Amino acid sequence: MQTRRIGDLDVSAIGLGAMPMSIEGRPDEARSLATIHAALDAGVTLIDTADAYHLHADEVGHNEILIAKALAGHDRGRDVLVATKGGHLRPGDGSWTLDGSPAHLRTACEASLRRLGVEAIGLYQFHRPDPRIPYEESVGAVRELLDEGKIRAAGISNANPRQIALANDILGGRLAAVQNQFSPAFRSSEPELRLCEELGIAFLPWSPLGGISRARELGSSYAPFAHVAEAHGVSPQRVCLAWMLARSPVVVPIPGASRPETILDSLAATDLVLTAGELAELDAAV
């Protein structure tokens, strides 16, 4: 497995996005555990989660608990960087709400520590800006968690260039990762990606294949991806991730999966070499 850098750690060039295993349409636990273990067997050392990845109001942290169980049952579990997030909430009615207050972020981080069963969280990310709370206060709370050793690396998610620069300044140049939406269907995070490249900050695209409901349609929606995939005898999804990896060395995609075969196909993108002409064709796909 090829590796890339998040902070001072080398991780697998493609991580596992675990959200589909805990929200709407989630599989049973046995299949989820099999999916995580298949990823670990293939060399994954980065798993992305959040305390808000759950369905019902009384199961906050469902995904974190699932990951902790999977890692405890695998001999390579200790080698994995678990990236979790706080600041987003799911009341249980299908909606998503925000709480970026320092008090909530501290409480959320401590709860995540307990669920993951660790002394320090490998990568903790402020999930989404809360318009009611000054951004400086939210990131300041993350900085305190970092200084106290409750987290080993700090990140932000769903941030614009101004917020990235501000967060990096507040963290004293220690911003390790930015997790934004980025895919063939959603390219508006290009400025954030370029800023991360300039600053040497890892850029983690979420929903890199277009999201749970659209990932299967990637080839039909974007013909160049299907064309290149046919030429290589692989899936359009694998081509998409290879294209994404080629865009910048700071990119670390985290495709979601809830089946072993899905994550294994995604991970094979690290071995797919695209020509300059193919990359240009994919860059132009709209």
Side-chain angles (χ1 to χ4, degrees):
M1 173 63 67
Q2 297 176 24
T3 61
R4 295 203 166 180
R5 199 81 169 165
I6 296 181
D8 60 358
L9 291 176
D10 289 324
V11 299
S12 52
I14 292 178
L16 168 63
M19 184 178 77
M21 293 180 254
S22 289
I23 63 168
E24 289 81 357
R26 66 192 185 192
D28 59 36
E29 185 177 279
R31 198 176 91 192
S32 293
L33 293 175
T35 300
I36 298 171
H37 286 172
L40 298 180
D41 289 339
V44 162
T45 55
L46 170 66
I47 298 180
D48 178 76
T49 183
D51 60 1
Y53 294 166
H54 62 90
L55 268 179
H56 310 295
D58 62 352
E59 58 170 21
V60 174
H62 178 277
N63 202 241
E64 294 175 323
I65 294 170
L66 176 67
I67 290 169
K69 182 174 182 177
L71 296 183
H74 196 282
D75 58 6
R76 295 187 59 246
R78 294 185 178 182
D79 300 329
V80 174
L81 172 65
V82 175
T84 192
K85 299 178 285 293
H88 231 341
L89 302 90
R90 297 202 79 188
D93 59 1
S95 67
W96 295 76
T97 59
L98 300 168
D99 190 345
S101 66
H104 172 75
L105 289 173
R106 176 169 291 276
T107 299
C109 178
E110 291 174 348
S112 291
L113 280 166
R114 291 192 295 272
R115 286 189 290 264
L116 292 170
V118 296
E119 294 182 359
I121 292 171
L123 173 62
Y124 193 72
Q125 303 161 102
F126 176 37
H127 204 154
R128 186 178 289 272
D130 182 347
R132 302 169 305 167
I133 307 295
Y135 199 67
E136 296 88 335
E137 293 185 14
S138 299
V139 178
V142 177
R143 180 191 61 202
E144 290 180 0
L145 295 169
L146 183 61
D147 290 340
E148 293 169 11
K150 292 183 181 295
I151 65 176
R152 293 196 171 95
I156 54 176
S157 185
N158 302 297
N160 61 37
R162 183 192 68 82
Q163 292 165 334
I164 293 172
L166 178 59
N168 195 43
D169 183 59
I170 292 170
L171 290 163
R174 295 178 293 171
L175 181 62
V178 172
Q179 185 177 143
N180 274 20
Q181 185 176 9
F182 188 73
S183 69
F186 192 95
R187 301 195 189 185
S188 60
S189 284
E190 187 75 35
E192 289 83 359
L193 167 55
R194 293 306 159 202
L195 179 57
C196 285
E197 185 174 46
E198 177 186 329
L199 297 174
I201 297 169
F203 183 84
L204 281 56
W206 61 264
S207 290
L209 302 177
I212 297 172
S213 62
R214 299 181 62 183
R216 293 180 181 177
E217 304 169 1
L218 191 149
S220 58
S221 299
Y222 297 90
F225 287 86
H227 174 254
V228 174
E230 184 177 0
H232 286 272
V234 300
S235 69
Q237 292 77 18
R238 192 183 304 185
V239 169
C240 177
L241 294 171
W243 164 75
M244 203 165 280
L245 288 169
R247 293 187 67 81
S248 171
V250 302
V251 171
V252 186
I254 46 173
S258 61
R259 297 177 182 273
E261 56 268 29
T262 303
I263 188 57
L264 293 178
D265 183 72
S266 291
L267 296 175
T270 60
D271 296 321
L272 176 60
V273 179
L274 303 176
T275 67
E278 289 171 335
L279 291 172
E281 180 182 359
L282 298 174
D283 285 342
V286 292

